Amino acid sequence: MNIRFDGQTVIVTGAAHGFGRAISLAFAERGANVWACDVNRDGLALTEQQAREQGTALNVRVVDVTDREQIQAFVQEASGGERVDVLVNNAGGVLGQVGRPLEEISEEDWHAIFGVNVDGAFYFAQAVAPLMKARHSGRIVNISSGAGLGVSLTGIQAYASAKAAQIGLTRQLAHELGPFGITVNNVAPGFVRSNPTTERQWESYGEAGQRKLVEGIALKKLGTPEDIASAVLFFASEYAGWITGQVLSVDGGK
C-alpha cells in the first residue's frame, strides 16, 4: 500500500509528544497539510522542529481541547472555512493523576479526565462535521486505550471510564455520519512508552513488573508511537473506505 495524503487537510490533537507527534509527522511525511495542536507549547515546538528535520512542515497552535470556542476558531483557521479531510482526536491522558481508592477521587479530578478525553473529541467532531458533510467525505479517528476495552493498568477509574465512553462515541458517530460519507473509527493502543507519564508508569513497575508486562504480550515486546501512527494512517486512507465504527487494538496481542 502506498498511502498518501497530498492536498488533504489533517488535524491532530495532543501533538506535543508521543502518539500525537508520531501521527503528525507521519501525515506530514505523506504530503498532508497538517494542523497540530496541544496545550504544551514547548512540546509543540519540538514536534515542529522534528518535522523540519524530516524535510516537511507543520502548522502548530496552542489549543485547549476542553474549550469549545478555541476549537471552533482553530478548525476555522485550519480549514479556511472549506475543508478538513481527517481529524485525529488523540488528546487525552491522565493529567498527572495516579491510581487511588474510589472514595478519594474528587469531582474535579473525575471531570478533568473526562474533559480532555471525551469532551475534546466531541467538540472537535462537532466542529469538523459540517465541513465534512458539505464535501460528503471525511475521516475521524479517535485514540482510546486498552483501558477502554478492559481495565486501566494504573487503576484510574476516570481514565478507563472516559476511554470506554470515547469508544461509545465512535460507534454512535459512525452511524450518524455514515450517510454523509464520513467514517469514524478508533485505535486502542496497548502500553507504549511514549511520553513522560508512561515513562513514570514503566519505572514504577520495577524490573519484575516490567518483565511480567512484556511477557503478557503475544509478541513479547512493547510497541512504539509509530505503530499507533500506522493504524491511524490506515483508517484515514482510501483503503479503509468501507470500514467505520470499528475499534482496532494495537497492543502486540493480548
Side-chain angles (χ1 to χ4, degrees):
M1 291 184 183
N2 181 24
I3 297 177
R4 298 287 304 178
F5 298 93
D6 300 282
Q8 295 193 32
T9 297
V10 177
I11 289 176
V12 182
T13 73
H17 53 58
F19 300 154
R21 175 178 291 162
I23 292 165
S24 298
L25 295 175
F27 273 110
E29 190 174 29
R30 288 160 179 82
N33 176 28
V34 179
W35 289 77
C37 70
D38 204 297
V39 291
N40 182 341
R41 187 182 301 274
D42 292 341
L44 276 178
L46 185 54
T47 299
E48 187 177 24
Q49 177 185 327
Q50 290 188 15
R52 287 196 299 269
E53 290 171 355
Q54 73 175 18
T56 60
L58 298 173
N59 303 286
V60 299
R61 297 291 186 273
V62 175
V63 177
D64 179 353
V65 300
T66 69
D67 188 317
R68 192 170 178 271
E69 289 187 1
Q70 285 188 35
I71 290 167
Q72 291 284 344
F74 174 62
V75 169
Q76 175 64 27
E77 182 185 9
S79 68
E82 295 183 1
R83 67 183 294 175
V84 172
D85 298 280
V86 181
L87 165 65
V88 183
N89 282 312
N90 169 73
V94 299
L95 305 180
Q97 295 186 37
V98 298
R100 290 168 291 160
L102 175 65
E103 59 271 23
E104 295 181 13
I105 309 302
S106 70
E107 182 178 1
E108 291 75 17
D109 285 346
W110 173 265
H111 286 297
I113 286 180
F114 264 80
V116 72
N117 288 280
V118 185
D119 295 353
F122 178 74
Y123 294 151
F124 261 99
Q126 269 193 325
V128 304
L131 299 166
M132 291 182 174
K133 284 180 177 181
R135 295 177 59 84
H136 209 79
S137 175
R139 299 280 194 267
I140 298 174
V141 185
N142 298 322
I143 309 299
S144 60
S145 168
L149 294 168
V151 296
S152 171
L153 293 176
T154 62
I156 299 174
Q157 305 87 345
Y159 184 70
S161 302
K163 289 305 190 184
Q166 193 202 68
I167 289 170
L169 178 65
T170 297
R171 291 172 174 150
Q172 191 66 36
L173 292 184
H175 281 268
E176 178 180 342
L177 300 177
F180 299 94
I182 302 165
T183 68
V184 189
N185 289 292
N186 199 292
V187 175
F191 180 78
V192 178
R193 297 170 63 185
S194 60
N195 57 50
T197 298
T198 53
E199 281 301 310
R200 288 192 296 271
Q201 185 178 344
W202 175 252
E203 292 300 325
S204 73
Y205 293 149
E207 187 175 337
Q210 293 168 3
R211 187 164 52 248
K212 180 180 179 182
L213 189 154
V214 174
E215 284 301 310
I217 299 172
L219 291 175
K220 308 303 180 190
K221 64 177 183 178
L222 297 180
T224 67
E226 287 71 29
D227 290 319
I228 309 308
S230 294
V232 173
L233 293 175
F234 170 69
F235 273 144
S237 76
E238 61 183 14
Y239 299 102
W242 204 50
I243 301 173
T244 195
Q246 301 305 302
V247 182
L248 177 60
S249 294
V250 183
D251 57 12
K254 294 292 187 181

